[in-house]
Amino acid sequence: MTTSTPLPTSSLLHTEEMILNVGPQHPSTHGVLRLVVHMDGEYVTKVVAHMGYLHTGFEKTMENRTYQQNVTYAPRTDYLHCFGHELAYVLSAERLLGAEVPVRAQLVRVLLHELGRIHSHLVFIGTGLLDLGALTPFFYAFREKEMVQDLFEEVCGYRMNQGYFRVGGLYRDLPEGFEQHVRAFIDHFDEKVDEYEALFRENPIFVDRATGVGVLSAAQAKDLGLTGPNLRASGVPLDHRKANPYCGYAELDFEVPVESAGDCFARFVIRGAEMRQSARIVRQVLDRLEPGPIRDPNRKISLPPRQELETSMEAVIYHFKLVTEGFHPPLGEAYVPVESARGEVGYYLVSDGGSVPYRVKIRAPSFVNLQALEVAGVGGQFADLITVVASLDPVLGDVDR
Amino acid sequence: MTAAHFWITLLKAVLVALALLTTFAYMTLVERRLLARMQIRRGPNRVGPLGLLQPLADAIKSVFKEDVLATNRDRVVFFLAPLISITTALTVFGAIPAGRPGGFFGANPWVFNLDIGVIFILAFTSLGVYGIFLAGWASGSKYSLLGGLRSSAQVISYELGQGLSILGLLILVGSANLRSIVHWQYHHGWLIAFQLIGFACFLISSFAETNRTPFDLPEAEQELVAGYLTEYSSLKWALFQMSEYVNMITASALISTLFLGGYRGPAFLDAVVPGISGWPYLWLLLKIALFLFLFIWVRATFPRLRYDQLMRFGWKVLFPVALLNALLTAAFVGLLPGLSPWILGLVSLLILIALLALGDRLLAGNRKLARGSAGD
């Protein structure tokens, strides 16, 4: 693209490279990301991303908590799509343990997982356009985002960092009337999603600013290990919901949107399309939801029902064992990739047979995706770099953990 | 100049400055409330009824805030920059005629009336950019420097188009005196009807001139934190804000005067209420308010252009279109004298529509090109 070529500099003019420090406190770094930007005028010649400002040692902490307790930590990494991390952790732990999750629990997980994706993409669109100087879409997107959070709150009392899933099922069943509320929201959302797509698809200034900016070819995207919408925007149709179906995604009817351009515009468009697909999945799940158990009946995994504690000595013992030391998965390791709003998230768990994981390694999509910044952000202007950061959608909690 | 004349002029100048500053203060409130409305929020409504005392609270806050000074600054220039900005901003408005001669308690309702009124205003508002540029340079901060540089690049790209966009108007009217322009419009009809292309170009460049969205590159928050304003605080910061809003008010007044009949209302309303088009101040205020609303509305609607896109727009769109308009008007006046200007208006309208349609297609082609090369 012609705009990315720096102007020819006269040999008579002495020019100097400018090193600009962006962040960790800066309006558009989506948290505490620090970028050291080398610039020739307004053109970016090199970007170095410094991270770790939010590092709190999640992985190490999780190695000192029981499997069930760790559910609390997982959503706190990616605070915009909490259910993605939660689901990834729970699935890995269940594979380690060999737990059987009832159908209803799986469907509820899919439901919340997809609502979480809508939540995350709404924040992406709002803040992404804000980074380009459009103030208003932010508030529109946040209106629906709040609605999703209302639904989360209804389910488990938390608007963020839910910790609602359990190894072996769910914390509790859906509240009464919840399904109607979700249906009402999805009906409302179907109208709004058109509006949001129009906000960026039909805005000539936005189109000009995002088209051809921060291009990542399919090969580059693969080499960098990108996953999720960022990878699919470059034309690689990898989606773990299709590739490695979990929680019954194989039986659901949905499409994986793929764009070929690999530029910021494609990364915006693809998220709009994904929100539609998520809404579609939510509808199907609602149609399939039937009353049933929500936890693995295995007493060595799930707590016994409250009323049994008064009559059964066995129940009291199981309860005591589970609460004090948790369960002991057999020796082994497990990793289940999950498609979160940002890409492949997975928890690599190693068990030494004890009640706490021997090793936890989080495959955090934002961390990997952020690598692309040093490729996609270079060559364009400084303003483009901000667009690229926004389009890669990093969540710093997910990056630093 | 007699002593009385001197004192009256001074009084008028003070009044204009005070009026501008009050309008600025309430403009901030109106802008925040309106933006809030457009963004499904409420906006400031805690200080006084409807938040009406908010500007006062803001003023007190800005004055009493600590004036943080960057150690790297250039002391003199750092101090002078906001003064340059506000001085040029406040001076210009004096040239706008706010009513008929003698309409202000027997005095003329303008501070000074120059035969080169339009040119003076353009020249002086451009000087205001020095304030921004010097602020960016003197702050000793990289963000500020980039903001200042962007600002000067911006001036270079829109200024020529802006100047040319009113050339057609000047040819038609035959005078650069703002009073004559208003007078001409009183007799022949508002110039927006005959100079539609010129109006469009001038309006767009006014957005660039006042550093408003979508041309707010010098202070682009998401990129440059606050651009040239980054190192400023307290009163100096407030002065920059003040000059931005005063510039907006002046730009609105100038557009109203040049294209919308200035201080005169639409003549056809006289049939309903006799003499209503001659009511003093009302019409000018209404027109200013209209354009101020437009400034806010656009801010709520558009993202920001990129630096090179603005330059390209200035040189490749604004400049040739404004030139075309000037040539068209010149040809019309020179070759077809005596023809009603309404024909010119009609031709302008058709050309503008054609340009818009064509422009859309050209832009679409550009985009496709950009996307095509992106795939390599």
Side-chain angles (χ1 to χ4, degrees):
Chain A
M1 195 185 160
T2 48
T3 52
S4 330
T5 343
L7 300 166
T9 43
S10 159
S11 53
L12 297 172
L13 274 174
H14 173 65
T15 58
E16 252 176 63
E17 187 184 60
M18 182 192 259
I19 298 176
L20 188 68
N21 179 50
V22 182
Q25 275 87 38
H26 181 278
S28 307
T29 48
H30 291 247
V32 283
L33 175 64
R34 178 174 161 229
L35 302 173
V36 175
V37 185
H38 296 244
M39 294 202 295
D40 174 17
E42 285 255 353
Y43 289 91
V44 177
T45 53
K46 190 183 168 196
V47 188
V48 183
H50 292 248
M51 50 194 91
Y53 289 90
L54 260 183
H55 178 65
T56 37
F58 272 85
E59 290 158 349
K60 200 70 198 166
T61 315
M62 290 172 92
E63 288 164 17
N64 293 289
R65 297 280 182 280
T66 65
Y67 287 91
Q68 206 66 277
Q69 283 174 328
N70 279 338
V71 175
T72 327
Y73 288 94
R76 278 163 177 76
T77 49
D78 181 350
Y79 39 81
L80 291 182
H81 190 194
C82 310
F83 282 120
H85 269 259
E86 216 170 304
L87 187 59
Y89 171 72
V90 166
L91 288 177
S92 284
E94 279 161 1
R95 181 168 292 178
L96 208 54
L97 199 59
E100 298 273 327
V101 183
V103 180
R104 180 174 172 84
Q106 294 202 5
L107 283 174
V108 171
R109 283 176 179 183
V110 171
L111 178 78
L112 292 172
H113 189 47
E114 293 304 322
L115 282 176
R117 191 184 315 277
I118 291 177
H119 173 267
S120 174
H121 285 350
L122 281 173
V123 175
F124 167 83
I125 285 173
T127 55
L129 288 171
L130 187 70
D131 283 346
L132 290 156
L135 307 173
T136 313
F138 180 76
F139 294 96
Y140 288 171
F142 266 51
R143 174 181 53 195
E144 270 68 44
K145 179 213 130 183
E146 292 293 321
M147 287 180 178
V148 181
Q149 287 192 313
D150 287 344
L151 293 174
F152 291 163
E153 189 179 358
E154 203 179 325
V155 173
C156 57
Y158 283 85
R159 299 173 73 80
M160 284 171 90
N161 304 334
Q162 288 87 359
Y164 172 70
F165 300 159
R166 289 288 178 272
V167 180
L170 303 171
Y171 153 56
R172 65 174 187 199
D173 211 339
L174 294 177
E176 217 162 292
F178 178 73
E179 288 160 45
Q180 284 79 25
H181 293 168
V182 177
R183 240 178 244 283
F185 167 74
I186 290 295
D187 287 341
H188 165 84
F189 184 72
D190 274 347
E191 287 169 29
K192 292 297 171 192
V193 77
D194 295 336
E195 232 174 73
Y196 297 138
E197 278 213 316
L199 277 178
F200 54 84
R201 261 180 188 275
E202 287 163 28
N203 185 331
I205 297 183
F206 174 79
V207 173
D208 281 354
R209 284 217 36 196
T211 309
V213 168
V215 182
L216 288 167
S217 68
Q220 277 175 319
K222 275 192 219 164
D223 290 349
L224 287 163
L226 292 194
T227 45
N230 294 334
L231 177 67
R232 294 192 287 274
S234 293
V236 184
L238 173 70
D239 187 323
H240 284 293
R241 291 175 295 176
K242 289 275 191 203
N244 301 300
Y246 48 91
C247 281
Y249 267 109
E251 288 146 38
L252 296 168
D253 179 29
F254 65 100
E255 282 154 26
V256 178
V258 178
E259 289 281 323
S260 57
D263 56 1
C264 290
F265 188 70
R267 290 196 276 273
F268 269 83
V269 169
I270 208 155
R271 274 153 176 121
E274 282 198 1
M275 289 201 294
R276 284 176 204 278
Q277 295 301 327
S278 289
R280 193 169 150 195
I281 295 172
V282 168
R283 264 181 215 286
Q284 291 176 39
V285 169
L286 285 175
D287 291 340
R288 284 162 191 246
L289 266 186
E290 273 164 22
I294 52 153
R295 266 180 234 154
D296 188 339
N298 186 348
R299 285 292 147 82
K300 292 194 169 172
I301 296 172
S302 305
L303 288 175
R306 184 72 185 79
Q307 59 271 23
E308 273 184 37
L309 292 181
E310 289 160 18
T311 54
S312 154
M313 190 59 210
E314 259 189 334
V316 175
I317 293 171
Y318 278 127
H319 187 273
F320 179 78
K321 290 291 273 183
L322 278 177
V323 171
T324 50
E325 62 178 20
F327 33 74
H328 300 257
L331 215 65
E333 52 186 46
Y335 176 85
V336 181
V338 163
E339 190 69 30
S340 94
R342 256 154 283 284
E344 176 185 336
V345 44
Y347 280 67
Y348 175 63
L349 300 177
V350 181
S351 165
D352 59 354
S355 63
V356 297
Y358 173 74
R359 173 80 175 100
V360 179
K361 167 77 182 83
I362 308 174
R363 198 273 180 200
S366 299
F367 176 72
V368 184
N369 289 352
L370 201 59
Q371 291 192 104
L373 189 62
E374 298 186 4
V375 178
V378 171
Q381 296 200 8
F382 183 54
D384 292 336
L385 177 67
I386 303 293
T387 317
V388 172
V389 174
S391 77
L392 288 175
D393 193 23
V395 163
L396 268 293
D398 195 25
V399 174
D400 296 338
R401 303 185 297 283
Chain B
M1 190 197 286
T2 62
H5 188 92
F6 173 76
W7 287 115
I8 287 174
T9 306
L10 189 66
L11 181 72
K12 282 193 290 191
V14 170
L15 276 180
V16 164
L18 285 181
L20 280 175
L21 294 184
T22 321
T23 320
F24 147 69
Y26 277 90
M27 183 64 198
T28 57
L29 179 68
V30 169
E31 170 160 36
R32 288 165 72 183
R33 298 278 295 187
L34 272 177
L35 270 183
R37 267 293 156 89
M38 294 172 189
Q39 298 171 343
I40 45 175
R41 301 182 284 127
R42 289 187 189 281
N45 60 359
R46 296 287 107 181
V47 194
L50 295 172
L52 281 175
L53 296 180
Q54 184 71 41
L56 200 66
D58 287 345
I60 293 171
K61 189 200 76 172
S62 326
V63 173
F64 286 101
K65 256 195 147 172
E66 186 191 350
D67 193 9
V68 182
L69 297 167
T71 35
N72 264 349
R73 74 189 191 280
D74 182 307
R75 281 165 189 279
V76 182
V77 182
F78 188 77
F79 176 76
L80 276 181
L83 294 183
I84 295 174
S85 264
I86 191 69
T87 314
T88 52
L90 285 176
T91 312
V92 175
F93 199 88
I96 306 280
R100 268 175 296 184
F104 181 68
F105 305 109
N108 292 331
W110 53 79
V111 182
F112 48 87
N113 178 39
L114 300 171
D115 279 341
I116 51 154
V118 182
I119 294 155
F120 166 81
I121 289 183
L122 290 188
F124 236 71
T125 45
S126 317
L127 274 183
V129 176
Y130 276 100
I132 294 174
F133 175 63
L134 290 175
W137 181 76
S139 291
S141 145
K142 288 170 184 171
Y143 288 118
S144 305
L145 183 65
L146 284 172
L149 286 176
R150 282 181 176 194
S151 185
S152 39
Q154 191 167 320
V155 180
I156 295 168
S157 24
Y158 74 78
E159 193 107 291
L160 214 56
Q162 189 184 28
L164 279 174
S165 67
I166 56 164
L167 197 58
L169 178 153
L170 296 183
I171 292 171
L172 215 53
V173 176
S175 163
N177 188 322
L178 286 167
R179 273 183 56 212
S180 315
I181 293 173
V182 175
H183 197 66
W184 189 91
Q185 296 184 72
Y186 177 57
H187 288 294
H188 296 84
W190 289 1
L191 274 159
I192 184 175
F194 318 128
Q195 287 291 314
L196 207 55
I197 303 175
F199 171 74
C201 292
F202 194 78
L203 187 68
I204 294 170
S205 28
S206 295
F207 278 90
E209 183 182 359
T210 47
N211 292 328
R212 293 285 297 188
T213 313
F215 305 117
D216 56 341
L217 307 166
E219 48 188 308
E221 185 196 337
Q222 289 78 17
E223 296 151 28
L224 301 181
V225 187
Y228 66 96
L229 279 170
T230 309
E231 299 299 332
Y232 278 91
S233 53
S234 184
L235 207 54
K236 294 196 191 80
W237 179 84
L239 283 178
F240 272 120
Q241 290 294 319
M242 219 182 264
S243 49
E244 180 184 327
Y245 281 87
V246 170
N247 275 333
M248 240 159 77
I249 299 166
T250 312
S252 307
L254 187 63
I255 302 171
S256 316
T257 307
L258 290 180
F259 293 98
L260 288 183
Y263 54 81
R264 286 192 169 275
F268 65 86
L269 281 181
D270 282 339
V272 188
V273 184
I276 193 174
S277 74
W279 286 8
Y281 312 117
L282 171 78
W283 293 108
L284 188 64
L285 290 180
L286 271 181
K287 288 166 192 168
I288 292 178
L290 174 80
F291 283 107
L292 288 180
F293 176 76
L294 189 67
F295 274 108
I296 296 169
W297 192 12
V298 167
R299 179 173 176 199
T301 312
F302 285 114
R304 185 182 308 113
L305 281 176
R306 209 172 51 204
Y307 175 68
D308 59 318
Q309 289 168 345
L310 170 72
M311 305 253 284
R312 202 172 323 132
F313 179 77
W315 288 107
K316 290 192 178 171
V317 179
L318 208 58
F319 177 60
V321 170
L323 192 63
L324 173 78
N325 179 57
L327 287 175
L328 182 73
T329 315
F332 181 81
V333 172
L335 302 178
L336 307 162
L339 218 60
S340 158
W342 288 101
I343 295 173
L344 176 65
L346 194 67
V347 174
S348 300
L349 180 68
L350 291 177
I351 292 180
L352 191 66
I353 292 171
L355 281 175
L356 286 177
L358 198 73
D360 222 39
R361 189 161 305 168
L362 277 178
L363 281 179
N366 255 342
R367 253 168 242 147
K368 219 168 276 168
L369 217 72
R371 302 208 84 175
S373 67
D376 301 343

